[in-house]
Amino acid sequence: MNGYAILCRTVLFLLLHVPVAYGETVLVTAHNGPVAKLSRKEAEQLYLGHRTTLDDGTPVMLADLPTGAERNHFYSSLTGKNPSQIRAHWSRQVFTGRALPPREAANLQQAQQWIAETPGMIGYLPDTAADGSLTILLRLP
C-alpha cells in the first residue's frame, strides 16, 4: 500500500470515529410571545408528545428541524433517546391518536422564521442561530 492510500485510510478512519463536537442547543420562542419560561421536564414532555401545554396552561406549538445531526443531538440531549427510538415513539403516538409530532421545518432558516413569527411556538436551534427576534428558554449542552 502506498503512502497516499495509507493517508486516505487514516483520514477516513478519523472522520468516521472521532466524535462530533456540538455547541449548545437552545430552545427558543418568539421574543414577544406568551411563553416566558420552560423547564427541562416540560420540554421533554412536550417533545415526546405527552403534553401540549405548559405547567401554567399556556398552549404551545412545536417546531422540529429536518432529520440530521442537529435534530439527533437535540433529542439525545433532551430525552436520552436515539433517532430510531424517537421515530418508534412518534409512530406509536400517532398510531394510537395520542399526539401529532412537531411541525418539521425544511431547514434552519424556516424554523427560525416560524418560531419568531408564531406566538406560542417553541423550537430548538444551535445557540449560534438564536438572534434578537428569539428568547432563549432553555440551554442544552
Side-chain angles (χ1 to χ4, degrees), residues 2-60:
N2 66 27
Y4 179 75
I6 293 171
L7 176 64
C8 287
R9 291 181 91 170
T10 303
V11 169
L12 182 60
F13 175 82
L14 290 173
L15 288 173
L16 294 174
H17 294 92
V18 173
V20 176
Y22 290 97
E24 283 188 323
T25 299
V26 292
L27 278 99
V28 294
T29 192
H31 184 63
N32 295 322
V35 181
K37 62 182 182 144
L38 181 69
S39 71
R40 184 182 179 98
K41 181 180 176 183
E42 284 176 304
E44 184 175 357
Q45 291 173 340
L46 288 165
Y47 270 93
L48 290 176
H50 298 302
R51 64 189 308 175
T52 57
T53 62
L54 301 178
D55 285 341
D56 66 4
T58 303
V60 295

Side-chain angles (χ1 to χ4, degrees), residues 76-121:
S76 176
S77 296
L78 183 64
T79 68
K81 296 182 184 298
N82 65 41
S84 59
Q85 290 171 315
I86 289 295
R87 281 190 303 277
H89 174 81
W90 274 110
S91 293
R92 284 189 303 275
Q93 293 292 86
V94 170
F95 181 75
T96 59
R98 291 185 188 141
L100 293 174
R103 185 175 176 193
E104 185 177 326
N107 53 47
L108 178 66
Q109 293 75 22
Q110 185 178 48
Q112 285 174 304
Q113 183 179 357
W114 285 352
I115 299 163
E117 295 176 357
T118 310
M121 182 170 272

